C-alpha cells in the first residue's frame, strides 16, 4: 500500500472521467506524433533521394513537377528535351557529372527508367544478383520491384505506356531481366532501370517534331492510351525518340530526346550560373531540387502547422478535463483527504496523491498516443500504393517527440496544480467537525 | 500518559473555550459529556493535535505538542493517536482491507499488518474484507471505523460522538467493541459525546 496505489485506485474508480481525459490526451498526442513521424519519414526520403544532385534540366513546365518526376518518380514528366542541346549546355567545366533520364513507361505501376550505369552508382545500388545491362532491352530491378512483381532473372515482360496499369502495352518489344539491386532505401528500390536506348527503341515511332516544346501542362494520363503512329502530334511528350546504333550518348546527335538530365556541379558557382543560363537562353528549364523541396515542405508546412495546432488544443482540452475531474472529485473526497491526514499523512503526501492522479492520466494518455501513431503509420504503410511504400517505421522516440511527451506531461502537471494547491490548503478540523 | 493543562482556544471574541485539565494513565478511559456548542469537537481536535490551542499544554507520552512542528505533529498523531468520528470516513475507492493497510502505511506501522485479519474477525466482518466501504451498513461502517483507529495499536484513542447516529442495540455493541479493542491495544480512551446512554458505561467522566 502506498500513495501510488491510492492514486491508481481513484483513477480506475471513475472510468468515464478517466476515459474522457485519456482519450483526449491520446488523440492529441497521437495526431501530433503521427504528423511528426510522417514528416520525419518524408524529410528522410526527400533528403536521401536528392543525393548530390544540384540541378535538373527538363522541358519547360512546373519546376516542382520536374523535380518530383525526375528525382522522386512520383509525378508525370514535364515533356522531352533534345539530348544534343542539353549536352551542349552542360559541356561546361563547372559540371562535375550528369546523368540523362528517359522515362514514361511502367510495368505493374513500377516506372521503367532509361539511363546510364552512373545512375545506380549515384544511389550506391549494388547488385543482389545478376549484372547491369550491357545492351538495350535489358533491365535491372529495384529491390521492391523484384519482391512485388516476382520477376526473376531471365524473365521477359512488356512495358505499359504511362504510369497506371491500364495504359497501352508496348507489345512489340519485350524487356528481359538481367539483374536485381540490393535494397537501398532510396527511389531505386521502386524502379526498373534500363539503358537509354531501350526507351528509344520501344518508342520508335518517329512522329511530330513540331509539338515537342510546348507542353507545360500536366500531361500523361489524358493522352497516353492512343498514341498510334498516325496521330502522335498532340501527345509526344516522352516517346519521341529514334534509336541510334551508337550508344555513346554524348555524341548522339540531333533529334534524340530525353526526359531530363540530372546535374552535379563541381562548385556552388554552377548553382548560381547554370540555372539562369538554361532558363534564359534555351527552351528548357533548370530546377534546383533543394529549392523546390523546401518550397514544397513550406507549402505542406502550413497544413501540418494547422493540424498540429488543433491537436495541441485537443491536448489542452484533455488537461482541462483532467482538471475538472480532479476538482470535482476533491469536493467529494475532502473527507477522505482529512481522514488520511488524521491517519498521519503529511500535506506533501496528499499533494503527491493529487499530482500523481493528474500525471498518471497524462502519462498513460501520452503512451497510448505514441502507440496509436505508430499503429496508424503501420496501417497507412499497408494501405498506401505499394510503390511508395513506407518502410522502416520508427518505433523508438524520434527527436521532436521528446518535446511532445514533455508538453503532454506538463499539461497533466498544470491541470493538477490547482487541485493539489486546494489539497494543501484544506482545513481538516473544519471538515471533520461539519459531519 | 495524556496530560492537558489550562487549555484555552478561541475562534473569535465570542467563541472562547476554557477546557478542564485531564490526566490519564495507560489503559484508562474517560467520558467527556457536553451539550452542543460547548466546544466538544474543538477539545478533541486539540487533543488530537489537529488544532493548536491559544494557550495551555498537552502532553502525550511525555511529548509536548508545542515542541513539534506541523509535519512532526502529523507524524506523531499518525503513530500515537487513533480517531473515531460520528460519521465513519473511508477512502471510498479502496476495499476495507486496503483502507486498513493505508492507515498502517500512513502511520508508518506496517508491522501490524498481521493484525488486520484478527481485528476484522473481532468486529465480525472477516468475510467482508474485500468489500468497498459504501456497500456496508451504517453499523458495519462504524465497526470498521473502530478497526481503522485501533489497528495501529495507538496509545490514545479519541472518539468524537461515536454512537450518536446509532440505535440502542448498535450503540451498546459499538461501545463494548471500543472498550475491548482499547483494552487489547492497551490504549487510553477518550470519548466525547452528548449521548447520555454512555454515562453508565464509564466510571470516569467529566462534563464540559
Amino acid at each position: 500500500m502506498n500513495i501510488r496505489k491510492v492514486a491508481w485506485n481513484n483513477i480506475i474508480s471513475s472510468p468515464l472521467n478517466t476515459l474522457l481525459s485519456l482519450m483526449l490526451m491520446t488523440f492529441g498526442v497521437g495526431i501530433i506524433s503521427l504528423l511528426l513521424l510522417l514528416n520525419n519519414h518524408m524529410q528522410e526520403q526527400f533528403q536521401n533521394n536528392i543525393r548530390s544532385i544540384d540541378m535538373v534540366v527538363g522541358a519547360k513546365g512546373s519546376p516542382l513537377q520536374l523535380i518530383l518526376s525526375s528525382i522522386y518518380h512520383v509525378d508525370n514528366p514535364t515533356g522531352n528535351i533534345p539530348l544534343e542541346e542539353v549536352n551542349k549546355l552542360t559541356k561546361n567545366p563547372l559540371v562535375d557529372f550528369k546523368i540523362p533520364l528517359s522515362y514514361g513507361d511502367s510495368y505493374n505501376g513500377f516506372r521503367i527508367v532509361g539511363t546510364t550505369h552512373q545512375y545506380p552508382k549515384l544511389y550506391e545500388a549494388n547488385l543482389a544478383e545478376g549484372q547491369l545491362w550491357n545492351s538495350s532491352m535489358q533491365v535491372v530491378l529495384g529491390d521492391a520491384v523484384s519482391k512485388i512483381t516476382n520477376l526473376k532473372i531471365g524473365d521477359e515482360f512488356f512495358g505499359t505506356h504511362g504510369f497506371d496499369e491500364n495504359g497501352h502495352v508496348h507489345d512489340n518489344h519485350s524487356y528481359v531481366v538481367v539483374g536485381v539491386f540490393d535494397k537501398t532505401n532510396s527511389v531505386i528500390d521502386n524502379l526498373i532501370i534500363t539503358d537509354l536506348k531501350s526507351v528509344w527503341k520501344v518508342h520508335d515511332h518517329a512522329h511530330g517534331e513540331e509539338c515537342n516544346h510546348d507542353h507545360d501542362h500536366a500531361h500523361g494520363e489524358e493522352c497516353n492510351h492512343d498514341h498510334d503512329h498516325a496521330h502522335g502530334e498532340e501527345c509526344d511528350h516522352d516517346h519521341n525518340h529514334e534509336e541510334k546504333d551508337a550508344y555513346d550518348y554524348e555524341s548522339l546527335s540531333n533529334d534524340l530526346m530525353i526526359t531530363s538530365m540530372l546535374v552535379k556541379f563541381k562548385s556552388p558557382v554552377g548553382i548560381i550560373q547554370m540555372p539562369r543560363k538554361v532558363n534564359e537562353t534555351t527552351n528548357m528549364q533548370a530546377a534546383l531540387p533543394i529549392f523546390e523541396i523546401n518550397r514544397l515542405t513550406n507549402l505542406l508546412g502550413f497544413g501540418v502547422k494547422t493540424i498540429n495546432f488543433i491537436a495541441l488544443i485537443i491536448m489542452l482540452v484533455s488537461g482541462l478535463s483532467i482538471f475538472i475531474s480532479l476538482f470535482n472529485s476533491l469536493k467529494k473526497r475532502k473527507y477522505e483527504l482529512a481522514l488520511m491526514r488524521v491517519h498521519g499523512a503529511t500535506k506533501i503526501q496528499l499533494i503527491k496523491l493529487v499530482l500523481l492522479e493528474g500525471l498518471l492520466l497524462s502519462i498513460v494518455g501520452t503512451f497510448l498516443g505514441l502507440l496509436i501513431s505508430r499503429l496508424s503509420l503501420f496501417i497507412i504503410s499497408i494501405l498506401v500504393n505499394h510503390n511508395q511504400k513506407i518502410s522502416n517505421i520508427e518505433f523508438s522516440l524520434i527527436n521532436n517527440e521528446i518535446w511532445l511527451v514533455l508538453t503532454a506531461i506538463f499539461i497533466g502537471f498544470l491541470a493538477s496544480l490547482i487541485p493539489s494547491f486546494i489539497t494543501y490548503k484544506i482545513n481538516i478540523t473544519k471538515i471533520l467537525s461539519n459531519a | 500518559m495524556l496530560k492537558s493543562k489550562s487549555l484555552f482556544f478561541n475562534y473569535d471574541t465570542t467563541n472562547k473555550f476554557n477546557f478542564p485539565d485531564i490526566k490519564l494513565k495507560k489503559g484508562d478511559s474517560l467520558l467527556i459529556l457536553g451539550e452542543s456548542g460547548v466546544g466538544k469537537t474543538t477539545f478533541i481536535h486539540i487533543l488530537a493535535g489537529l488544532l493548536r490551542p491559544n494557550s495551555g499544554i498537552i502532553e502525550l507520552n511525555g511529548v509536548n505538542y508545542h515542541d513539534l512542528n506541523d509535519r512532526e505533529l502529523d507524524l506523531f498523531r499518525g503513530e500515537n493517536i487513533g480517531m473515531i468520528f460520528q460519521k465513519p470516513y473511508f477512502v471510498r475507492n479502496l476495499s476495507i482491507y486496503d483502507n486498513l493497510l493505508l492507515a498502517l502505511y500512513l502511520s508508518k506501522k506496517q508491522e501490524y499488518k498481521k493484525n488486520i485479519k484478527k481485528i476484522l474477525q473481532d468486529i465480525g466482518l472477516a468475510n467482508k474484507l474485500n468489500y468497498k466501504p459504501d456497500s456496508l451498513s451504517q453499523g458495519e461502517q462504524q465497526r470498521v471505523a473502530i478497526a481503522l483507529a485501533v489497528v495501529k495499536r495507538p496509545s490514545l484513542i479519541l472518539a468524537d460522538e461515536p454512537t450518536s447516529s446509532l440505535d440502542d442495540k448498535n450503540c451498546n455493541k459499538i461501545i463494548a467493541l471500543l472498550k475491548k479493542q482499547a483494552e487489547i491495544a492497551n490504549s487510553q480512551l477518550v470519548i466525547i459525546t452528548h449521548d447520555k446512554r454512555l454515562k453508565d458505561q464509564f466510571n470516569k467522566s467529566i462534563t464540559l
Side-chain angles (χ1 to χ4, degrees):
Chain A
M1 178 54 59
N2 51 39
I3 297 292
R4 252 201 322 276
K5 198 173 166 202
V6 180
W8 180 251
N9 267 290
N10 284 334
I11 287 175
I12 57 174
S13 300
S14 49
L16 288 181
N17 279 338
T18 300
L19 190 72
L20 179 67
S21 308
L22 269 188
M23 262 174 59
L24 287 168
M25 192 54 96
T26 301
F27 279 119
V29 171
I31 291 168
I32 296 182
S33 161
L34 182 62
L35 285 176
L36 286 174
L37 287 173
L38 284 174
N39 197 40
N40 194 46
H41 180 78
M42 242 169 59
Q43 296 281 356
E44 251 173 36
Q45 286 298 303
F46 279 148
Q47 293 309 325
N48 188 27
N49 284 322
I50 289 181
R51 297 286 153 142
S52 52
I53 300 162
D54 290 321
M55 180 180 83
V56 180
V57 180
K60 278 226 186 300
S62 150
L64 182 58
Q65 188 189 349
L66 179 62
I67 299 298
L68 288 179
S69 64
S70 31
I71 292 185
Y72 302 103
H73 296 276
V74 289
D75 204 345
N76 292 309
T78 49
N80 294 320
I81 50 175
L83 180 58
E84 193 186 7
E85 208 181 328
V86 204
N87 277 337
K88 224 188 302 175
L89 202 76
T90 49
K91 206 166 258 167
N92 186 308
L94 288 171
V95 172
D96 184 0
F97 65 78
K98 51 189 177 176
I99 303 171
L101 298 179
S102 195
Y103 51 92
D105 288 355
S106 64
Y107 173 72
N108 276 4
F110 291 107
R111 298 190 173 200
I112 302 169
V113 178
T115 183
T116 63
H117 287 172
Q118 205 171 358
Y119 187 61
K121 212 160 46 182
L122 180 68
Y123 288 94
E124 289 148 20
N126 298 316
L127 284 161
E129 48 183 326
Q131 56 184 50
L132 288 176
W133 64 90
N134 48 34
S135 76
S136 65
M137 303 317 288
Q138 295 185 338
V139 299
V140 181
L141 308 177
D143 178 70
V145 183
S146 85
K147 278 183 184 139
I148 291 165
T149 61
N150 280 325
L151 285 173
K152 304 263 171 319
I153 288 177
D155 285 354
E156 292 189 19
F157 64 90
F158 293 112
T160 306
H161 192 73
F163 301 130
D164 57 28
E165 284 161 39
N166 323 312
H168 165 80
V169 178
H170 293 294
D171 52 9
N172 48 343
H173 294 287
S174 69
Y175 291 103
V176 58
V177 180
V178 296
V180 176
F181 287 121
D182 268 334
K183 196 171 166 62
T184 60
N185 287 323
S186 72
V187 69
I188 292 271
D189 293 347
N190 297 314
L191 294 179
I192 298 168
I193 302 174
T194 183
D195 191 57
L196 271 178
K197 271 194 294 179
S198 314
V199 181
W200 291 329
K201 191 168 185 173
V202 171
H203 295 93
D204 181 16
H205 347 281
H207 40 218
E209 297 93 314
E210 77 277 356
C211 54
N212 285 343
H213 303 303
D214 61 341
H215 32 245
D216 11 349
H217 46 152
H219 40 223
E221 264 70 60
E222 77 266 323
C223 58
N224 56 10
H225 304 304
D226 60 349
H227 60 295
D228 75 66
H229 306 192
H231 57 272
E233 297 89 74
E234 73 261 78
C235 56
D236 58 331
H237 40 281
D238 55 0
H239 44 272
N240 194 1
H241 318 298
E242 273 182 63
E243 192 189 352
K244 287 279 151 106
D245 290 329
Y247 169 59
D248 177 13
Y249 76 92
E250 287 273 2
S251 60
L252 286 171
S253 62
N254 49 53
D255 54 347
L256 273 181
M257 294 293 208
I258 60 167
T259 315
S260 60
M261 181 77 91
L262 311 178
V263 180
K264 155 93 176 127
F265 295 115
K266 279 183 184 139
S267 82
V269 182
I271 303 179
I272 299 163
Q273 289 183 356
M274 286 289 282
R276 231 164 95 204
K277 193 169 152 204
V278 175
N279 289 332
E280 282 172 7
T281 63
T282 70
N283 238 335
M284 305 179 290
Q285 72 159 329
L288 304 176
I290 299 275
F291 180 77
E292 292 306 323
I293 289 314
N294 282 345
R295 211 161 61 96
L296 179 66
T297 41
N298 282 342
L299 277 172
L300 293 175
F302 178 72
V304 168
K305 264 186 201 143
T306 310
I307 301 173
N308 263 330
F309 184 69
I310 294 169
L312 188 68
I313 288 178
I314 298 178
M315 283 168 68
L316 287 174
V317 173
S318 157
L320 193 68
S321 153
I322 293 175
F323 168 74
I324 291 172
S325 52
L326 280 179
F327 192 82
N328 278 339
S329 77
L330 279 189
K331 269 193 239 159
K332 280 185 278 175
R333 278 163 50 197
K334 62 181 181 184
Y335 297 110
E336 65 185 62
L337 291 172
L339 175 77
M340 287 173 72
R341 288 291 306 280
V342 169
H343 283 326
T346 58
K347 288 181 173 182
I348 301 293
Q349 277 177 309
L350 295 195
I351 288 176
K352 193 175 148 195
L353 173 68
V354 175
L355 275 182
L356 262 179
E357 286 179 32
L359 284 176
L360 268 176
L361 283 174
S362 59
I363 289 171
V364 173
T366 306
F367 177 76
L368 289 177
L370 294 176
L371 204 71
I372 278 185
S373 68
R374 278 148 180 82
L375 212 67
S376 317
L377 194 64
F378 180 69
I379 292 167
I380 291 172
S381 77
I382 291 171
L383 296 179
V384 135
N385 191 352
H386 61 72
N387 59 4
Q388 279 146 43
K389 213 173 181 94
I390 297 171
S391 45
N392 309 333
I393 294 174
E394 191 65 60
F395 281 100
S396 55
L397 278 188
I398 61 169
N399 266 345
N400 292 336
E401 277 183 323
I402 290 166
W403 286 108
L404 178 63
V405 170
L406 290 180
T407 307
I409 294 174
F410 184 66
I411 288 175
F413 175 75
L414 272 188
S416 22
L417 213 56
I418 293 176
S420 53
F421 183 72
I422 294 172
T423 309
Y424 185 80
K425 286 303 233 185
I426 62 169
N427 184 338
I428 325 171
T429 49
K430 211 170 159 195
I431 293 169
L432 292 177
S433 46
N434 282 348
Chain B
M1 285 285 285
L2 175 70
K3 232 168 39 183
S4 82
K5 216 179 155 192
S6 24
L7 286 175
F8 169 77
F9 186 87
N10 69 319
Y11 289 101
D12 46 55
T13 46
T14 50
N15 280 314
K16 297 191 247 189
F17 302 107
N18 280 297
F19 297 109
D21 297 349
I22 52 176
K23 207 168 180 182
L24 288 180
K25 290 198 302 289
K26 245 184 187 171
D28 279 357
S29 45
L30 170 70
L31 185 70
I32 302 175
L33 282 160
E35 297 304 318
S36 311
V38 296
K40 290 192 306 280
T41 298
T42 306
F43 191 27
I44 210 162
H45 284 180
I46 289 173
L47 292 178
L50 293 169
L51 272 181
R52 300 253 188 196
N54 294 82
S55 64
I57 295 166
I58 332 162
E59 264 183 40
L60 178 61
N61 302 337
V63 177
N64 187 339
Y65 291 8
H66 190 72
D67 299 336
L68 303 174
N69 65 28
D70 287 354
R71 193 167 170 275
E72 287 165 342
L73 193 55
D74 284 339
L75 293 173
F76 182 80
R77 175 177 56 249
E79 271 178 51
N80 297 291
I81 301 171
M83 284 189 84
I84 296 156
F85 307 93
Q86 178 178 353
K87 246 178 77 185
Y89 298 123
F90 306 97
V91 177
R92 287 172 51 220
N93 298 324
L94 295 179
S95 67
I96 302 297
Y97 185 80
D98 282 345
N99 263 285
L100 288 161
L101 269 184
L102 179 69
L104 290 177
Y105 168 77
L106 292 174
S107 56
K108 300 190 166 29
K109 293 216 172 163
Q110 303 193 68
E111 69 268 23
Y112 291 119
K113 211 169 133 182
K114 56 186 187 304
N115 292 347
I116 292 178
K117 284 197 177 147
K118 171 80 175 62
I119 287 181
L120 285 173
Q121 252 163 25
D122 289 349
I123 63 171
L125 292 173
N127 55 340
K128 301 210 164 165
L129 81 173
N130 286 322
Y131 282 48
K132 291 276 165 71
D134 282 352
S135 61
L136 302 184
S137 72
Q138 179 90 21
E140 286 174 327
Q141 288 189 8
Q142 196 58 290
R143 280 188 268 160
V144 176
I146 291 174
L148 275 174
V150 300
V151 67
K152 59 188 175 185
R153 299 276 164 95
S155 52
L156 173 64
I157 297 171
L158 297 171
D160 184 7
E161 303 275 16
T163 55
S164 55
S165 58
L166 299 175
D167 55 33
D168 289 353
K169 193 178 143 216
N170 269 313
C171 171
N172 290 334
K173 241 168 132 180
I174 288 294
I175 290 303
L177 195 63
L178 197 49
K179 280 163 100 175
K180 190 181 164 220
Q181 289 298 324
E183 202 183 301
I184 293 173
N186 199 17
S187 314
Q188 303 155 78
L189 175 62
V190 176
I191 298 176
I192 288 201
T193 188
H194 72 275
D195 190 348
K196 302 270 183 351
R197 292 177 291 186
L198 304 187
K199 204 168 178 184
D200 306 330
Q201 312 229 18
F202 293 85
N203 28 24
K204 216 170 166 184
S205 75
I206 52 174
T207 305
L208 283 186

